[in-house]
Amino acid sequence: MTLSNRDLAELLWEASEQERDHRRRALRRAGRAAMLWPEEAAAVASAGRSLTELPAVGPWVAHQINAWLEDPPQIPDPPEARRGFLTMSEARAALDADPRWERGVRGDLQVHTTHSDGRYPLEEVVAAAADRGYEYVGITDHSVGLPIANGMSEERLRSQGLEIDLLNARLEADGARIRVLRSIEMNLSPQGEGDMSAASLAELDLVLGAFHSKLRGTEDQTERYLAAVRNPTVHVLAHPTTRRFGSRLGLRADWGRVFEEAARLDKAVEIDCSLARQDLNVELAEIARDAGVRISIGTDAHYLHELDTMDLGLGTAAIAGIAPERVLNLLSADALRDWAAGVRGS
């Protein structure tokens, strides 16, 4: 049996429970990092390379992993909150098998800045997106109803918009390829209602709607989601299930019905690429595929390095068999704006 990076992540996590202090921390760091290793550790070892080439793997952790690779133990059954998450190596394998995805992606549609709870200012975030070859980036800072994330008031949203307009003018004058989409991650109430006026939202290129409260209920939430996709100000249902790796299962709904309603309204549902979310996962992305709904992919980046998790979202779409033409990120900026304007006017 060859151990995958996913297997090793679980073994590292389990081993951390038997250690204390710095060893426990080292194992847990490696367990998290294993989900993002770009190649399989087993392949690195079989090529005679040192496992210390992999992020968060020092000599002691490498020794432990090599022992498992040489004599594979029984893999622990992960708790439900850690199931159904792709590793970066799995995503990379899918993208290498179908290069259309990486060739076609034009932008990232969920990114945060210091205007809410992101860690870098607007210009640095846009420069990092430009370094990745993007044609556009959606700046989706949080709205006023999420004060824990420094959510923006309508006045602050307007001020950010002016800053974005000035930056876009400067980028165009400099001959830069990238443009900034004025966007927002709007907080939705459990009834699917937003917290910003329709007039303020009408000034934006793209509105993501997301739930951030009452996220641990186990009862069916289909009506809540139907209300969200029917909200006329929302273009994209962001991180739909609200799950979190290792800590929250996410909400339950008749997803086929929700996605079919979104498709009827020509709305989109998101694949959030964050390692902690991967929401939609592959299973739900397959249901979305069958419903014919549009897909939006966003890294949900709060740090610049998190922009690199785009491959997890693209890999999810590729594995699920999503048609590339249904993915917003593969549209030109003009086509994306035209779609959003059509949704708003319908």
Side-chain angles (χ1 to χ4, degrees):
M1 182 178 76
T2 301
L3 299 179
S4 68
N5 287 352
R6 184 199 307 278
D7 297 331
L8 292 170
E10 283 303 318
L11 288 167
L12 287 160
W13 188 266
E14 183 182 58
S16 76
E17 298 296 323
Q18 312 305 316
E19 298 289 349
R20 298 180 61 186
D21 301 327
H22 71 281
R23 286 194 170 191
R24 173 176 286 192
R25 291 192 294 272
L27 289 166
R28 289 188 174 179
R29 278 197 305 272
R32 288 190 294 270
M35 299 295 291
L36 288 175
W37 290 339
E39 53 188 324
E40 293 289 337
V44 173
S46 66
R49 294 157 52 198
S50 172
L51 293 178
T52 57
E53 295 179 22
L54 299 172
V57 177
W60 178 73
V61 172
H63 176 78
Q64 180 63 77
I65 294 174
N66 274 316
W68 289 330
L69 292 173
E70 292 170 6
D71 184 16
Q74 182 176 351
I75 308 302
D77 189 27
E80 188 175 357
R82 292 209 300 268
R83 295 176 191 166
F85 287 81
L86 278 183
T87 65
M88 184 62 78
S89 58
E90 290 170 330
R92 284 294 336 151
L95 297 177
D96 290 344
D98 189 352
R100 292 179 303 166
W101 289 99
E102 288 187 288
R103 285 201 306 263
V105 66
R106 294 171 181 251
D108 188 336
L109 292 177
Q110 192 190 162
V111 178
H112 298 269
T113 75
T114 50
H115 279 281
S116 65
D117 61 344
R119 295 299 183 264
Y120 292 86
L122 175 67
E123 288 199 40
E124 288 188 45
V125 170
V126 174
D131 288 343
R132 287 156 175 81
Y134 290 149
E135 178 182 333
Y136 50 80
V137 59
I139 298 300
T140 56
D141 284 305
H142 290 284
S143 63
V144 66
L146 203 62
I148 194 173
N150 190 30
M152 296 183 296
S153 65
E154 293 186 359
E155 182 179 359
R156 287 175 55 205
L157 176 64
R158 194 171 301 112
S159 176
Q160 183 194 55
L162 293 174
E163 184 179 344
I164 288 173
D165 289 345
L166 289 172
L167 177 57
N168 275 332
R170 190 159 69 251
L171 289 167
E172 185 174 10
D174 291 343
R177 178 174 185 242
I178 196 166
R179 295 295 179 270
V180 186
L181 301 179
R182 291 178 60 182
S183 313
I184 195 168
E185 183 181 351
M186 181 172 66
N187 191 48
L188 297 176
S189 74
Q191 292 73 42
E193 299 170 348
D195 61 353
M196 307 291 274
S197 72
S200 292
L201 297 173
E203 299 177 5
L204 305 181
D205 296 306
L206 194 67
V207 176
L208 278 60
F211 293 117
H212 295 99
S213 60
K214 296 188 177 179
L215 306 182
R216 297 187 182 275
T218 57
E219 65 276 10
D220 182 90
Q221 299 285 319
T222 301
E223 293 303 319
R224 176 179 182 175
Y225 281 102
L226 291 174
V229 299
R230 289 168 181 162
N231 184 321
T233 65
V234 171
H235 295 109
V236 178
L237 180 62
H239 50 71
T241 74
T242 75
R243 73 173 184 165
R244 297 283 294 184
F245 183 79
S247 64
R248 190 168 66 223
L249 294 177
L251 298 172
R252 304 179 189 278
D254 181 342
W255 294 110
R257 187 177 167 202
V258 172
F259 297 157
E260 286 167 8
E261 181 67 359
R264 184 185 73 80
L265 296 169
D266 202 24
K267 303 288 182 81
V269 297
E270 185 185 52
I271 297 175
D272 185 311
C273 310
S274 165
L275 178 63
R277 290 190 183 275
Q278 294 190 39
D279 183 10
L280 304 169
N281 63 15
V282 170
E283 180 181 358
L284 290 184
E286 290 172 342
I287 297 174
R289 174 203 65 203
D290 293 343
V293 67
R294 291 184 187 269
I295 297 293
S296 177
I297 303 178
T299 61
D300 201 355
H302 290 67
Y303 294 86
L304 298 184
H305 71 269
E306 292 174 341
L307 293 168
D308 294 327
T309 61
M310 175 60 73
D311 285 354
L312 291 173
L314 295 172
T316 296
I319 293 167
I322 301 291
E325 60 268 20
R326 302 302 295 168
V327 177
L328 299 182
N329 308 64
L330 275 66
L331 298 177
S332 68
D334 287 342
L336 178 60
R337 288 192 184 98
D338 288 345
W339 165 79
V343 170
R344 182 174 278 133
S346 61

